[in-house]
Amino acid sequence: MESRAAVAGLSALGHEGRLAIFRLLVQAGPAGVAAGEIARQLDSLPNTLSANLNVLSHAGLIVSRREGRSIVYSADFAAMSGLLGFLLEDCCAGAPEICAPLGDILAKAADCGPACSPSRPS
């Protein structure tokens, strides 16, 4: 991952509302959550939610798909794994015991496989 993409992802997550949305989508897994349900669960105004989803989408952290009349959002687990990997790339300067637990988390995210990779719209 390039620094520019990492900065965009971290910047998008550096807002309380967007972080709450992203965490909700990560918890939901590949099935995702419809926009209306996100608004209900997080008690978010529609225009605020739309703006936050747009920022997360432009940062490459979430994807959307249409299901009937709903737009369903999902976390992009590959992007999340890439961002975590970028943060841990040069971790610990020779003291792996410090970063070992974080490395385990990253390995689990990488092993999630196709089940955690929503297809990107064309």
Side-chain angles (χ1 to χ4, degrees), residues 17-113:
R18 291 190 294 267
L19 182 59
I21 293 167
F22 188 72
R23 290 177 54 109
L24 176 69
L25 295 177
V26 168
Q27 291 169 5
V33 181
E37 184 59 24
I38 295 170
R40 280 187 287 283
Q41 287 191 33
L42 300 178
D43 195 27
S44 180
L45 296 172
N47 59 337
T48 302
L49 178 65
S50 179
N52 285 333
L53 289 168
N54 199 21
V55 170
L56 289 166
S57 180
H58 282 283
L61 294 172
I62 65 172
V63 294
S64 64
R65 66 184 182 280
R66 181 167 290 284
E67 288 186 5
R69 295 177 56 188
S70 297
I71 298 177
V72 177
Y73 291 88
S74 303
D76 185 326
F77 289 92
M80 180 181 76
S81 181
L83 184 57
L84 291 171
F86 177 84
L87 291 172
L88 294 175
E89 203 168 85
D90 301 316
C91 184
C92 306
E97 67 277 1
I98 297 170
C99 285
L102 298 174
D104 292 344
I105 291 169
L106 183 59
K108 286 179 187 175
D111 289 342
C112 190

